[in-house]
Amino acid sequence: MAPPPQPLPPGLSLGRTLGKEKFHKSQHWGFCNNVAMLVGEDKPGIGGEPLPGQKLKPKYSVFPAGMGSDAPAWVAFDKQVLSFDAYVEEEVPDKNQELYRIRHCKIYFYLEDDTIQVIEPRVKNSGIVQGTIVRRHRIPLPPPNEDEYYTIHHFNINTEVIFYAQRYKITDCDQFTKNFLRKMGVRLNPPASRPDDPYTKERQKILDSMNPLRPYERVDTLKQFLEHDGHVLRFFCVWDDPESMFHDPRELVLHYYLSDDTIDMKEITPVNSGRDAVPFFLRRDKLPKYAPTGLYQPGTITARTVLNVFGNLVGNRGRYILDNRKTGAVHQEFYRDSDLKIGEVINVWGRKILLCDCDEFTKDYYRTKYGIEDFTPVPYKTLPPPKPEKTFPPYTGFGSEEDSLCSCMGLLPKPPQKDFKKFLEKDRSGLESNILRFLAKFVTDSPVDKDRKFIICYFLSDDTISVYEYTQRNSGILGGKFLERGRIKKPGQELFKSEPSEYFKAQDLFVGARVCFHGHNFHLVDADEYTINYMEKHANEFSVADTGFILKKLKDIAEPRSREIRQVFAATDPEHTKVIAYEPFRNLIVSITDGAFSEHEIMTIGRYYGVKEEYETDLHLLLAVAQEQLKKNSFENFGQLSAVFVYNDCEKCGVLPYQMCRTICKSFKLPLVDDLLEAVLTMFEDDNKQVEYKKFLDGLNWRENQIPAFQTIRLPLKSNSIFKL
C-alpha cells in the first residue's frame, strides 16, 4: 500500500497551491549573501543545529523504500474514505429542560488529499440545522501546532479531536477503516459507548406514552403489488339486459387486477349499434358481493366505529369514544380471483354477468394456482344474419363492363382498379418479355384464307391479346396488324347481363387449341421457344405443360394396351437403339388416346423424353469472335487494361475473382457483349473460380496474338433421333 501523502511544507498553505501567494506567520526575514530574503521555518541555525522551539520534520517517509505503490496519492487512494462515528457535547445555557445536548455525527477522512468532512445525520423534528457541519478541507491542528494539519495518524477509536475549538469524541469506525489503520501500524483502542441525548430520550418517552385517539391501522399491500404489478386477468362476459328494447346481449370485457384485487369492465360496442361509446362500463374498484338482504345503505360501512357512552342522559349531549374492537362493524366481502370462473354468474351492482371465456394468461394463472384444466368456453355470440346478396343491373352497352359496374358500387363513380401488382410482376424486364406468341391459321374452307398465317400475342401483364398477320409475297393480302390489342370475350355469351363476361386467359391458348376472336376462328399450330419454356416453368398454371398430370392421364388410357405399344416401338426401332423419331411417337399417342390429347400435351411429353443435342464450344472460336468485335470497334488499350488488372491484384499472384474481372472490363468499357464476355472469362477460370487475367488479356490482344475465325463443329449425340424410349 502506498504511504500516506506528506503534508504541505511549513510556510506553504493550501491557498498557495491554488495560485495565491500567502505567507505563514512563522516565516521570517533573513540574510543570504548579504541579501535580505524570506527564510522558512525549516532552515536550521548556525552549524545545522535547530533553533530554540524549532521542530524539524523528517525528509523521508517512515516506511522503507520499495514498499507500496509508486502511484501518487490521488491515484492510489482514489475514492477511499475513512469513516468514524463521533459525538459532540454541546452546552445549552438558555433552557431549563436540558443543560447539555449530545449531537451524533460522522467524520470522513479522505485519503487522497488528507481532507476532512463532518456530517450530522438529520433527526426528525430536532429544530437544529443539521447536515454538513464542517465542509471538506484540510483542518489545521489546534494551537500551538496550528501550522500543521491533521493526518491519518491523529485518528483512533476512543480518542478526541478538536476542529476549530470544537471537541469531537470518536467512539467507533467501520470495518474498512479498522483494516486500513491496522495496516498502517495503528494500535486500535476498544470502541467506546455512545451516550444518548437526555432531552431526546425524554421526548421519546412522552411520545411512547401518548395514546392517539384515532389509531392508524396499516394494511401492508406492498408485497402483493410488487409480485403482481402489471398482471391482469381478462374474462369475456355477456350481459342479457332484460330492460333493453330488443333484448340483445351486450358483450363486456372484465379485467381483474391482481396487484390490488380491483375490477373494471368495458363494453364492446358493435358498429352502428346506436349506443354511445363510454370509456368504462364499471369504474376500477373493488367489486362487493351482493348481500342477501340487498345493498347496504349509505353510511352503513365506515372505516371507523363510534360508540355513544352516556347517550342523552347528561344534558342531552352525547359522549362518544372510538370502538377499537369494532363490535358493530359491518364486514363486506369482495370478489376475489377464486370467485371468477368460466360459466359463473357474478352480480355487478344488480346486473347478472355471465363469464364466458378468458385469455391465455388467465388460463395459465388458474392452471398454475388452482389446478383448473377445463376452460371450455360458453357460446354466447349469436350467428350473424346472412348478408343480403348484392344484385347489379344488366350491362347497358355504353363503355366497358368494368366501368359500368363501378358506377353501381357507390354514389361517386370511380374508374375500375387495375391489377398493378400483376403488371409489375409480368411486365417486360430485360430478356423476359412475358409475352406468349403462337402461330395460328384460319379455320375455314376458303382456298384464299386457309393459307394465311397469323401471330397471336398474349400479354401476361394485363391479359390482352393482339393479332398480326404474317406478310406473304404474291398472296394479294396486306400483312400487319389484324386485331388491336385488348381483352377479348369468349364467344357465346349474352351481351346485356348482370354478371361480368368471361375473357380469354393464358390457359386457353396452347398448341392445338381452337379459339374464336370476334367471329374469326383460329387454330394454334405452333409456339415460339420462349412460350413453351414459360409454360413448362409454370406448369402449375398450365395443365397442358404439366408432365406429371399428363403422364398420369396417359397411364390411365394406355395401361390396357401396353403389349400393343411395345410391338409398335419394336417395329419402329429395328436396330434396338431405344430411340425413335418424334413423328412415329406422335402418331402412336394419337392412335392410343383417340384425340383425347392435345398437340401441346404430346409435344410436352416429347420434350420431356427427348434427347438433347450438345455442341462443342471451342476456346479459339470464342477468342476469334471476341477479337473480331474488338477489331471492329478499334480497341487497342490492352496496356492500360493490363495495368488496371495488376493494380487490383494485391497479392500479385496473377489471378483475380471472376466478378472483379467482369467489373473491371465493364468499367473500362470493353466493347464485348455480356454473354461473350462471360463465356470467355469462364474459359480462363481455375478450380478455385479465379481468372488468370494475363492469359485472358493475351487471348483478347488481336494486335499481338491474332486468331483466325473458323466455324464450330456440330456434334449431335444421336443423329435423326429426338425421342428416347
Side-chain angles (χ1 to χ4, degrees):
M1 181 175 296
Q6 296 297 331
L8 294 176
L12 187 61
S13 64
L14 187 62
R16 180 161 184 166
T17 62
L18 300 177
K20 299 179 181 179
E21 297 185 357
K22 297 181 181 179
F23 303 99
H24 200 269
K25 65 178 182 178
S26 62
Q27 296 174 338
H28 56 276
W29 290 92
F31 290 89
C32 181
N33 297 329
N34 298 324
V35 177
M37 63 175 54
L38 196 64
V39 179
E41 184 185 2
D42 292 339
K43 184 176 181 180
I46 299 175
E49 294 295 332
L51 298 175
Q54 186 180 26
K55 297 179 181 179
L56 297 180
K57 297 182 179 179
K59 297 182 180 180
Y60 304 99
S61 174
V62 295
F63 297 96
M67 290 186 63
S69 174
D70 295 334
W74 56 272
V75 174
F77 299 113
D78 184 31
K79 297 181 181 180
Q80 295 187 15
V81 184
L82 305 183
S83 176
F84 298 92
D85 297 331
Y87 69 90
V88 178
E89 184 175 340
E90 187 181 53
E91 294 183 359
V92 185
D94 300 335
K95 295 182 65 175
N96 297 329
Q97 292 85 356
E98 52 179 344
L99 300 178
Y100 65 93
R101 181 180 299 152
I102 301 297
R103 301 179 63 177
H104 303 283
C105 58
K106 287 276 189 180
I107 300 177
Y108 296 106
F109 185 90
Y110 295 87
L111 297 173
E112 57 183 345
D113 54 0
D114 289 356
T115 54
I116 300 173
Q117 184 182 15
V118 182
I119 296 178
E120 181 181 6
R122 300 183 183 274
V123 180
K124 185 179 180 181
N125 296 329
S126 64
I128 305 174
V129 179
Q130 296 174 323
T132 302
I133 299 177
V134 181
R135 64 176 179 83
R136 177 181 173 182
H137 68 290
R138 298 186 68 191
I139 301 177
L141 294 173
N145 300 320
E146 65 269 15
D147 59 326
E148 299 180 9
Y149 296 91
Y150 276 100
T151 63
I152 190 176
H153 301 286
H154 295 99
F155 291 88
N156 200 341
I157 301 176
N158 203 0
T159 59
E160 294 182 355
V161 291
I162 300 175
F163 297 155
Y164 300 112
Q166 185 71 45
R167 189 179 300 273
Y168 295 86
K169 176 70 173 180
I170 300 177
T171 59
D172 202 354
C173 62
D174 59 0
Q175 191 62 36
F176 171 77
T177 305
K178 293 179 181 179
N179 297 336
F180 188 85
L181 292 177
R182 289 193 184 100
K183 291 181 181 179
M184 295 298 295
V186 178
R187 185 184 296 272
L188 296 177
N189 300 327
S193 60
R194 190 177 65 172
D196 296 330
D197 184 24
Y199 180 71
T200 305
K201 191 174 181 180
E202 187 67 23
R203 286 190 55 189
Q204 188 63 36
K205 288 182 180 179
I206 297 174
L207 293 175
D208 294 341
S209 63
M210 293 177 62
N211 187 14
L213 296 178
R214 296 188 179 184
Y216 176 70
E217 297 180 3
R218 182 177 180 181
V219 180
D220 188 9
T221 58
L222 180 60
K223 180 180 178 181
Q224 181 182 0
F225 173 78
L226 295 178
E227 290 181 353
H228 298 289
D229 183 30
H231 296 172
V232 182
L233 306 181
R234 182 170 62 172
F235 290 88
F236 302 99
C237 321
V238 64
W239 172 42
D240 191 2
D241 187 6
E243 297 181 0
S244 63
M245 182 179 298
F246 302 102
H247 298 282
D248 52 338
R250 302 174 67 171
E251 300 179 15
L252 306 172
V253 178
L254 183 145
H255 294 143
Y256 184 90
Y257 298 87
L258 295 173
S259 59
D260 54 359
D261 299 325
T262 55
I263 294 176
D264 70 6
M265 301 180 70
K266 295 182 179 181
E267 182 180 3
I268 302 176
T269 306
V271 182
N272 297 329
S273 63
R275 296 192 180 96
D276 295 332
V278 294
F280 288 97
F281 182 82
L282 177 67
R283 183 174 56 85
R284 179 177 175 179
D285 199 355
K286 288 190 175 182
L287 181 62
K289 293 185 178 180
Y290 194 73
T293 58
L295 297 176
Y296 293 102
Q297 297 297 324
T300 305
I301 301 175
T302 58
R304 296 281 185 259
T305 304
V306 181
L307 299 179
N308 189 352
V309 180
F310 298 106
N312 297 327
L313 298 178
V314 183
N316 294 329
R317 298 177 63 183
R319 184 72 175 181
Y320 300 95
I321 63 173
L322 188 66
D323 183 13
N324 292 331
R325 297 186 178 276
K326 300 181 180 180
T327 56
V330 178
H331 299 281
Q332 188 177 19
E333 295 184 2
F334 298 93
Y335 279 102
R336 303 295 300 271
D337 55 347
S338 58
D339 302 323
L340 304 180
K341 298 178 183 179
I342 296 179
E344 292 289 334
V345 178
I346 62 175
N347 193 316
V348 181
W349 301 105
R351 296 168 177 83
K352 304 294 184 178
I353 306 297
L354 175 63
L355 305 183
C356 300
D357 199 359
C358 59
D359 59 358
E360 290 299 327
F361 172 78
T362 307
K363 294 178 182 178
D364 295 339
Y365 176 80
Y366 279 94
R367 190 181 295 111
T368 303
K369 186 174 181 179
Y370 298 104
I372 299 176
E373 297 293 341
D374 186 13
F375 298 99
T376 304
V378 177
Y380 64 96
K381 291 186 177 181
T382 59
L383 296 177
K387 293 184 178 181
E389 185 179 357
K390 185 180 292 187
T391 59
F392 299 100
Y395 175 54
T396 60
F398 296 96
S400 62
E401 292 185 3
E402 293 79 6
D403 187 57
S404 300
L405 184 62
C406 287
S407 63
C408 302
M409 295 294 185
L411 296 177
L412 299 177
K414 296 181 180 179
Q417 296 290 335
K418 296 183 179 180
D419 194 349
F420 192 69
K421 181 180 178 182
K422 181 179 180 181
F423 173 77
L424 292 178
E425 293 177 353
K426 300 299 182 179
D427 194 21
R428 178 186 294 272
S429 175
L431 299 178
E432 290 290 332
S433 63
N434 289 315
I435 301 176
L436 306 182
R437 295 181 176 89
F438 298 89
L439 180 63
K441 292 184 177 182
F442 266 140
V443 181
T444 180
D445 296 333
S446 174
V448 178
D449 296 334
K450 65 179 181 180
D451 293 333
R452 297 171 65 181
K453 298 180 180 179
F454 300 88
I455 299 176
I456 299 177
C457 302
Y458 186 89
F459 298 87
L460 296 171
S461 60
D462 54 358
D463 299 329
T464 55
I465 299 175
S466 65
V467 181
Y468 292 86
E469 184 173 1
Y470 186 73
T471 304
Q472 301 184 44
R473 297 182 63 182
N474 299 327
S475 63
I477 299 175
L478 294 177
K481 184 185 295 186
F482 181 81
L483 182 62
E484 186 72 27
R485 177 180 175 179
R487 300 176 65 189
I488 302 177
K489 296 181 182 180
K490 292 184 178 180
Q493 301 183 73
E494 184 181 354
L495 179 60
F496 303 105
K497 63 182 184 303
S498 301
E499 296 79 12
S501 301
E502 295 184 9
Y503 294 85
F504 278 101
K505 299 293 183 180
Q507 291 76 12
D508 300 325
L509 305 181
F510 52 87
V511 178
R514 294 175 179 266
V515 294
C516 180
F517 296 160
H518 300 302
H520 300 279
N521 296 320
F522 294 94
H523 180 217
L524 308 186
V525 296
D526 201 357
D528 60 357
E529 189 66 22
Y530 174 82
T531 302
I532 298 175
N533 290 333
Y534 181 88
M535 298 175 73
E536 291 177 353
K537 289 180 181 179
H538 302 79
N540 57 336
E541 301 177 10
F542 301 92
S543 60
V544 294
D546 189 355
T547 307
F549 175 76
I550 297 173
L551 291 178
K552 182 179 179 180
K553 181 179 176 182
L554 180 62
K555 180 180 179 181
D556 298 338
I557 299 176
E559 191 171 6
R561 306 174 62 180
S562 58
R563 177 177 295 181
E564 179 184 353
I565 295 173
R566 291 192 182 94
Q567 293 176 358
V568 173
F569 280 148
T572 309
D573 184 23
E575 298 181 1
H576 303 287
T577 60
K578 296 185 178 181
V579 176
I580 63 174
Y582 174 75
E583 201 62 31
F585 171 75
R586 176 190 172 279
N587 296 334
L588 175 62
I589 297 299
V590 171
S591 62
I592 292 175
T593 58
D594 295 331
F597 273 40
S598 64
E599 193 69 29
H600 200 119
E601 292 175 320
I602 301 174
M603 183 176 60
T604 300
I605 301 177
R607 288 171 58 87
Y608 182 76
Y609 290 102
V611 178
K612 307 296 187 299
E613 295 183 351
E614 296 185 358
Y615 301 92
E616 181 181 358
T617 305
D618 197 301
L619 175 61
H620 294 281
L621 174 63
L622 293 177
L623 293 178
V625 176
Q627 287 186 3
E628 187 68 22
Q629 289 190 13
L630 295 176
K631 187 175 181 180
K632 289 181 178 179
N633 290 276
S634 302
F635 182 83
E636 299 180 358
N637 298 331
F638 295 102
Q640 297 180 7
L641 183 60
S642 177
V644 174
F645 275 99
V646 174
Y647 175 78
N648 286 274
D649 187 8
C650 300
E651 300 180 358
K652 307 302 179 185
C653 55
V655 294
L656 286 174
Y658 169 84
Q659 193 64 30
M660 182 179 291
C661 294
R662 185 178 180 276
T663 303
I664 293 173
C665 294
K666 285 295 183 182
S667 62
F668 213 80
K669 297 183 180 180
L670 195 67
L672 294 178
V673 295
D674 293 343
D675 296 340
L676 181 58
L677 177 61
E678 294 173 359
V680 175
L681 287 173
T682 305
M683 289 296 179
F684 289 97
E685 279 185 344
D686 56 6
D687 298 336
N688 297 326
K689 302 297 181 180
Q690 301 285 330
V691 178
E692 300 178 4
Y693 60 86
K694 293 183 179 179
K695 295 182 179 180
F696 169 71
L697 294 176
D698 292 340
L700 295 181
N701 196 339
W702 57 274
R703 280 291 187 184
E704 300 178 0
N705 305 315
Q706 187 173 3
I707 300 176
F710 59 91
Q711 295 182 353
T712 182
I713 303 174
R714 185 176 181 181
L715 299 175
L717 295 178
K718 297 289 183 178
S719 59
N720 298 329
S721 302
I722 67 168
F723 186 77
K724 188 175 182 180
L725 297 178

